[in-house]
Amino acid sequence: MKFKSLLLAGGALLSATAASAGGYQVTLAGIKNNGMGGVGVGLSLDQAAMFYNPGALAMVRDRGVQIGANFTFARNSFVAEGSSTQRELRNSVVTPVSLFAGFGPQEGKFRAGIAVYTPFGSKLQYADGWEGRTSLTDIDLKSVFVQPTVSYAITDQLSIGAGLVVLAYGAVNLQRDIPLPDSFGHIELDGKAETKFGVNAGIFFKPSEKLSVGVSYRSKIDARVKDGDVTFSGLSPAFAPNFQATKFSATLPLIATTSIGFGIMPTENLTIGIDASLANWSAYKTLRFDFDQPILDSKTRLPTTVSESKREYQDALTFRVGAQYKLTSGLVVRAGGSYDESPVKDGFVTPETPDNDRIGGTLGASYNFGKFGVDLSAQYVGIKKRTQTQQELVTNGTTDRIAGTYKTNIVIPGIGLNYTF
Amino acid sequence: MLALLGLGLSACQPDLEKDFEPSNGTADFSNYIAVGNSLTAGFSDGGLYLEGQQQSFPAILAQQFATVGGGEFVQPLFGAGQENGSGYLRLANIVNGLPVTASVNTNLALRQGATAARPLYTKFTGQINNLGVPGIRLSDIETAGYGSVLGNPFFERITPDAQATQTYLQRVAASNPTFFTNWLGNNDVLGFATAGGAANSLTSVADFTDKNSKVIDALTATGAKGVVATIPDVTTIPFFTTVGPSFRTTLEAGKVSGLVIQTGAAPGGATSANRKPITTGDIKAVDGTGRQLFTLLSSPFLPLVGTKTGRPWRYVYGQSGQPAAGFPLFLAAYGIDTTAAFGVSAGNPIPSLFVLDDVEQGQVRTATNNFNAAIKTKAAAKGLAVFDANAFFSTVASNGLVVNGVNNTAGFVSGNLFSLDGVHPTPRGYAVVANEMIKVINSTYGAKVPTVNPTSYRGVKFP
C-alpha cells in the first residue's frame, strides 16, 4: 500500500511554496510571488508574506486582503519497463485557493494577519488497467491551512514575525487494486486528518532601499489520520474473508523547511528576488498504515494489520529567482524561474509522486484600479523524465512500486484579486 | 494571453512513446514458427484447451511481433463447442486451506468413437504456425507414424491424413520459418521425473544431441533466426515441492521417524534393491533441508501411511492401463503385502511413482545439464538467442518474481505462475516466459519488441 502521496502531500502542505519538491504540489500561495518564480522570503510584496516570511509582514506598507486561485493542470505520461505503450492520466484540474488579510495601525510597528492557503492539493487518476494499478489507481488529497500571524518592526530596518500554523482540514482518498490470482479487487482508503499545529516564523532585514534579506522557518507537523474508512470492492467470495479491515490510521511527517531569500531593488521600478530553501524530507522514511483487522499481504501472503512501504527521502534544496518591473503606475509585469531538487532517490519513485528534479518558468502581471488590483500568473513546471528499472527496485526492496519511465508537465494559470484598505 | 495558455496546455502532455518505438532489429518476424511440446502448445491445468491455447507463449509472442512486422500466426485452436479440448483440471474448492481439483470433461474435442483413455481429437490440418505437440520428446522427432492414430493424438490431430507417416522433424523442415522458437526436450526428462523414476526413461545424451542438432539445422536451413530455450530443473516445480513439506511436518508431529519407499521401476520383493528406507528428516522441507521429493499425485494416499491398505497400489496399477485381472500378479511381482502397514514397512512401501528420490534426482539433474549443454552449444554455433529457462526458473524458485508490483512465486495455486497440474504454467506464467524470450530476442537481434504486462494474465482460476 503506497500512501506516500499522503505524506508528500502533508509535506507539501507545510512547506508548500518556498521549498518542498515532490508531489503535485507546486508553489502556489501569492499570485504575485507565483509570477516571480515563487520567490518571497526576502521580499515584502504584500500580505502573502505571511506564508513566505511572517517577519516581512510588518514591512508591508499596505493593509489589505487578497484572494487567489490556481488552476493546476498536470499532464503525466508513463511507459512501463519493456513496454511501448504510453499511459496517461484520466486528467483532472485541481484548484487550490488562498486568502491573505493583513491588519494593523497605519503607521504602527505591528501588523497582524490571517492566512488561509491550500498549499497542497493533489488529484491523480491513473489510466484504467495501467501497469501500476496495484500501487495506485487514484489519489485525492486536500488540505487547508489557517495561519494567524503577528509581525513587529523592531527598527525601520528589522522586523520579525511568527504565525501559528493550523492544519485545519486535511482529507485523503487513496485507491489501488489488489492483485488476486485470477482477478483484481480494489481497496479505497478515505480519511480526515486530525487538527495539528505548527509554527511559521521569520526575520526580515532591509539595510537599504536597494537590498533586503529574510530568513524563515516552518516546523514539522506530524499529520495523523485516525479511524479512516477502508472499503473493499470487487473481491470474489473466495478472497473476501482475507480482507476484513474497516478502519485504518496513518501518520505523515509534514516536513520542516528553512529558507533564506534576498531582495534587490536596483531602481525604484525593478525588484529582483532570490530564494533558497532546504526541505527536511529525510524525515520521511516509511509510509505505514495500521488496520483494525488483518488483511492479506499480497507479497508474503500472510495476514497482517500493518502495511509499510519504504520512502527514504532525502533532504532537498530549491532555488528560485524572479523579478518584477513596474511598467506604468498601474501595471506591473513579472517573470521568474525555479529549480527544485527531488527528494526521491533512484529506485524509490512511486506513482503517487512520480517525481524528479523540476524546472519551472513563470510569468505574471498585476494591474491596479485604485484600491483594487488584479494579479495574474502562469507557471510551467517540467518534472524531468525519470526511469527506474525493476533491477533497482529489487535491489532497494521497493518492488511494491513499478519500473518504467515517467514524465510530467504541469501548467498552472492563477488569478488573484486584492483590495487595499 | 488566454490563447497562449490554451496552446501551452495542449502542448503540455509529455510524449514518451517516441523513446520506445518498437523495431525488429535484424530479425524478420513475417513467418514465425513455434516448435516444441506442451509448453509451446499452451497446455495448462493438466490439459490442452482453448483458453490455454489462446494464451500460449507463442501466441503472446506473435501478438507482440505484430508491432514489428510479424505476420499472421495460426494456431490449431479447438473450435466452438469443443473448447475444452482434451479436458483439464479446475479448482473446485479449498478445504482446510488445501486445493481440491475436479476434472472438466464436457465440450471435449474428441472424435467420434474415441475415448478419454485412447483419445483422438478433431483434426486441424491446415497451415499452422504453432507446432507445439503435448507429450513429444526430442527423441520422438524422427519416429514415422508418430502422427498416426497409433501415435501421439495431439500430433495426429494436426497431421494431414495424406501425410500420416510424416515425422515431426519433416513437419518442422517444411514450415519455412523466417523466425522460430524451439523448446523441445523437457519431456526427455520430465516423464521419468513425474513418474518418480518408476516409468519412462531418460533420453540418452547422444540421441538428444543428435536430434537437437537436426531440428535446429532444419529450422535454420533458409537462414531463419530464432530463440531456443533450455530445460528447467524440474525438481523445483510445484509438482514436486508442494506435498513433501507438509507431509514431513505431519510425520514429525506423529513421531514417525522414517519411511520405506520403493525406488526405480525394477520388480523385486521386500528384500530387493527397489526398497529404500528414508528418514523423515530426509524429506525435503521448505527450508531446503532433506532431499526426497513427493509428487503431487501422492497427496491423496499419504494420509494412509501406517494403515493396512492396498489402495495406493490399485491406483498405481490402474495408471498402467492393464486389465484389472492382472493386479494380483503385479502385487506379487513387487512383493507387496497389503496387510502390512503402508509406507513404514518393506512389505508395503510408498510406491516409486510417488517419490523422486535423491538418486533419481541426480539422474534427472545430470541429464538436464547434459541436454542443456547440447542446446547451448548448438545455439552458439548458429548464433541463436538462448532463453535459459533453467536459470530463470531456478531464480524464480528461490526468490520469486515481482512484476509490476505483483508478487509471483513457484508455489502451488497461490504462486500465480504454475497451473493446477503443478508442472505447466498458467497464462501469467506463459506471459512471463514470452517476456523473457523477448528480452533475449531484443538483446541478440538488436530488436525492440515490446513486452507484455504479465499481471494482465491470470494465475489459477478460483471458484
Side-chain angles (χ1 to χ4, degrees):
Chain A
M1 221 145 298
K2 293 93 220 214
F3 300 162
K4 72 195 145 242
S5 41
L6 220 184
L7 247 186
L8 239 190
L13 271 172
L14 249 198
S15 58
T17 305
S20 65
Y24 278 84
Q25 67 82 26
V26 264
T27 69
L28 306 170
I31 302 292
K32 292 189 181 73
N33 306 76
N34 287 352
M36 298 174 66
V39 297
V41 179
L43 301 175
S44 55
L45 291 178
D46 63 9
Q47 292 78 23
M50 280 182 274
F51 176 78
Y52 298 91
N53 181 353
L57 181 63
M59 296 293 191
V60 176
R61 289 187 205 97
D62 303 326
R63 295 162 301 167
V65 58
Q66 62 166 288
I67 58 170
N70 290 283
F71 306 90
T72 307
F73 300 86
R75 295 288 180 269
N76 167 277
S77 296
F78 173 77
V79 176
E81 181 172 278
S83 171
S84 63
T85 306
Q86 176 165 311
R87 302 290 188 178
E88 297 173 7
L89 299 173
R90 292 173 282 137
N91 289 314
S92 57
V93 184
V94 186
T95 309
V97 295
S98 59
L99 180 146
F100 298 92
F103 317 96
Q106 189 128 36
E107 296 302 327
K109 294 188 162 186
F110 277 102
R111 280 284 186 278
I114 187 150
V116 179
Y117 47 95
T118 59
F120 191 85
S122 173
K123 187 169 182 177
L124 292 176
Q125 300 174 303
Y126 280 93
D128 289 331
W130 83 294
E131 290 85 348
R133 63 194 290 183
T134 62
S135 276
L136 185 74
T137 57
D138 298 84
I139 175 172
D140 191 359
L141 297 164
K142 297 188 185 88
S143 68
V144 178
F145 274 42
V146 176
Q147 181 189 317
T149 308
V150 292
S151 180
Y152 177 69
I154 299 168
T155 72
D156 287 348
Q157 294 182 326
L158 181 66
S159 61
I160 58 173
L164 175 70
V165 177
V166 183
L167 170 55
Y169 175 80
V172 59
N173 182 285
L174 288 170
Q175 301 181 45
R176 67 177 183 91
D177 286 344
I178 300 169
L180 301 171
D182 58 357
S183 58
F184 288 92
H186 191 72
I187 180 172
E188 177 173 354
L189 302 184
D190 192 275
K192 301 267 187 291
E194 295 174 350
T195 301
K196 288 271 189 164
F197 302 95
V199 170
N200 184 7
I203 300 173
F204 185 74
F205 181 55
K206 192 171 183 183
S208 82
E209 282 304 305
K210 295 196 185 300
L211 181 68
S212 58
V213 58
V215 175
S216 71
Y217 173 77
R218 274 183 287 270
S219 65
K220 177 183 169 215
I221 292 181
D222 282 326
R224 178 168 168 76
V225 175
K226 197 165 172 256
D227 288 337
D229 293 321
V230 180
T231 310
F232 294 101
S233 56
L235 296 171
S236 55
F239 306 110
N242 295 325
F243 301 94
Q244 294 290 339
T246 58
K247 295 288 178 190
F248 79 97
S249 57
T251 301
L252 319 162
L254 311 187
I255 48 94
T257 306
T258 308
S259 303
I260 183 167
F262 298 93
I264 303 162
M265 287 67 71
T267 71
E268 200 177 323
N269 291 333
L270 179 65
T271 300
I272 299 166
I274 301 168
D275 281 10
S277 297
L278 174 67
N280 297 114
W281 277 115
S282 55
Y284 191 7
K285 301 286 188 210
T286 59
L287 181 54
R288 172 180 166 137
F289 291 83
D290 290 274
F291 296 94
D292 61 337
Q293 290 178 74
I295 62 172
L296 192 71
D297 183 302
S298 52
K299 185 171 169 69
T300 65
R301 299 205 164 78
L302 298 170
T304 177
T305 56
V306 175
S307 161
E308 272 196 320
S309 180
K310 289 186 191 178
R311 292 299 175 268
E312 296 184 20
Y313 278 24
Q314 51 196 0
D315 293 345
L317 287 168
T318 302
F319 303 96
R320 305 177 179 283
V321 60
Q324 68 173 13
Y325 189 75
K326 194 171 182 179
L327 275 179
T328 71
S329 61
L331 180 64
V332 177
V333 293
R334 302 186 178 88
S338 61
Y339 182 80
D340 230 357
E341 272 186 345
S342 174
V344 185
K345 293 192 288 190
D346 286 344
F348 287 80
V349 180
T350 53
E352 290 87 345
T353 52
D355 204 43
N356 200 359
D357 296 341
R358 302 166 172 217
I359 295 171
T362 71
L363 290 172
S366 292
Y367 197 80
N368 285 320
F369 315 87
K371 291 190 165 191
F372 284 100
V374 178
D375 303 321
L376 296 172
S377 66
Q379 302 188 61
Y380 175 89
V381 179
I383 303 179
K384 283 168 37 183
K385 186 163 74 181
R386 187 153 199 181
T387 299
Q388 66 186 359
T389 63
Q390 188 68 26
Q391 191 50 54
E392 286 175 317
L393 299 182
V394 170
T395 303
N396 291 317
T398 51
T399 53
D400 55 358
R401 55 216 77 179
I402 179 172
T405 301
Y406 291 98
K407 173 85 181 94
T408 307
N409 295 327
I410 310 172
V411 173
I412 312 143
I415 184 166
L417 301 173
N418 61 70
Y419 177 75
T420 307
F421 304 144
Chain B
M1 183 158 181
L2 281 176
L4 273 177
L5 211 57
L7 205 64
L9 279 182
S10 57
C12 179
Q13 182 72 52
D15 181 15
L16 290 175
E17 234 156 37
K18 62 183 185 302
D19 296 356
F20 300 95
E21 288 285 352
S23 80
N24 62 320
T26 59
D28 173 0
F29 298 106
S30 58
N31 187 31
Y32 161 43
I33 298 292
V35 172
N37 47 47
S38 52
L39 295 170
T40 295
F43 197 95
S44 201
D45 296 322
L48 185 66
Y49 61 109
L50 181 62
E51 186 193 357
Q53 292 181 307
Q54 288 169 328
Q55 305 191 338
S56 67
F57 83 78
I60 296 169
L61 282 179
Q63 166 201 306
Q64 299 306 99
F65 292 163
T67 65
V68 290
E72 193 189 8
F73 188 79
V74 180
Q75 297 199 100
L77 298 178
F78 292 114
Q82 305 195 331
E83 60 273 6
N84 293 334
S86 68
Y88 61 95
L89 296 171
R90 65 180 174 85
L91 187 59
N93 208 346
I94 305 275
V95 178
N96 299 328
L98 298 173
V100 177
T101 59
S103 292
V104 174
N105 46 27
T106 57
N107 291 10
L108 304 185
L110 290 176
R111 290 215 294 270
Q112 195 96 45
T115 65
R118 291 206 61 82
L120 288 171
Y121 300 112
T122 305
K123 285 254 181 184
F124 193 110
T125 53
Q127 197 85 349
I128 55 174
N129 295 74
N130 188 339
L131 297 176
V133 172
I136 192 170
R137 299 159 59 120
L138 191 56
S139 59
D140 295 326
I141 66 168
E142 290 187 291
T143 305
Y146 193 69
S148 73
V149 292
L150 299 175
N152 179 319
F154 292 104
F155 188 43
E156 192 269 348
R157 175 173 179 252
I158 59 170
T159 299
D161 292 332
Q163 293 158 298
T165 59
Q166 188 182 46
T167 67
Y168 189 74
L169 182 60
Q170 288 165 344
R171 180 72 183 261
V172 169
S175 64
N176 199 27
T178 61
F179 193 86
F180 66 88
T181 55
N182 178 48
W183 199 1
L184 278 167
N186 308 73
N187 291 320
D188 296 76
V189 292
L190 188 70
F192 174 83
T194 55
N200 263 307
S201 58
L202 294 163
T203 301
S204 76
V205 178
D207 191 31
F208 190 98
T209 306
D210 173 56
K211 284 172 176 158
N212 178 63
S213 191
K214 283 175 175 161
V215 74
I216 296 297
D217 287 342
L219 284 165
T220 55
T222 54
K225 295 182 163 66
V227 189
V228 300
T230 61
I231 301 163
D233 175 2
V234 298
T235 62
T236 62
I237 62 179
F239 188 81
F240 292 111
T241 59
T242 305
V243 172
S246 57
F247 181 46
R248 175 169 154 182
T249 306
T250 306
L251 292 178
E252 284 169 347
K255 308 244 184 290
V256 180
S257 60
L259 300 169
V260 180
I261 63 170
Q262 188 193 30
T263 181
T271 57
S272 74
N274 73 24
R275 299 301 203 273
K276 179 179 169 106
I278 62 169
T279 64
T280 298
D282 199 21
I283 299 171
K284 188 157 189 172
V286 176
D287 62 10
T289 62
R291 299 173 298 172
Q292 315 304 334
L293 297 171
F294 283 73
T295 72
L296 206 51
L297 301 179
S298 71
S299 178
F301 303 102
L302 296 180
L304 301 175
V305 164
T307 65
K308 296 167 184 173
T309 178
R311 267 181 57 201
W313 297 103
R314 274 193 293 278
Y315 171 80
V316 170
Y317 183 70
Q319 294 302 99
S320 70
Q322 299 298 311
F327 185 54
L329 291 173
F330 167 76
L331 290 182
Y334 289 93
I336 304 303
D337 174 8
T338 58
T339 64
F342 174 61
V344 289
S345 64
N348 196 356
I350 293 177
S352 180
L353 184 68
F354 294 153
V355 188
L356 188 68
D357 66 47
D358 54 302
V359 176
E360 293 157 349
Q361 288 170 42
Q363 294 170 307
V364 167
R365 196 164 293 126
T366 303
T368 303
N369 290 343
N370 288 334
F371 295 169
N372 285 342
I375 290 169
K376 288 179 184 173
T377 303
K378 184 66 182 179
K382 292 284 184 179
L384 300 173
V386 178
F387 163 44
D388 195 342
N390 187 286
F392 177 73
F393 281 105
S394 293
T395 307
V396 171
S398 37
N399 302 335
L401 176 73
V402 189
V403 190
N404 291 340
V406 178
N407 228 53
N408 305 286
T409 70
F412 191 50
V413 179
S414 64
N416 294 332
L417 299 178
F418 286 95
S419 70
L420 291 169
D421 58 31
V423 175
H424 296 90
T426 56
R428 181 169 309 163
Y430 282 124
V432 164
V433 165
N435 277 357
E436 292 303 313
M437 288 193 172
I438 287 172
K439 286 180 193 170
V440 297
I441 289 167
N442 287 347
S443 63
T444 306
Y445 301 116
K448 278 191 188 171
V449 179
T451 54
V452 296
N453 177 9
T455 306
S456 315
Y457 294 79
R458 71 165 173 86
V460 167
K461 193 185 276 180
F462 274 65

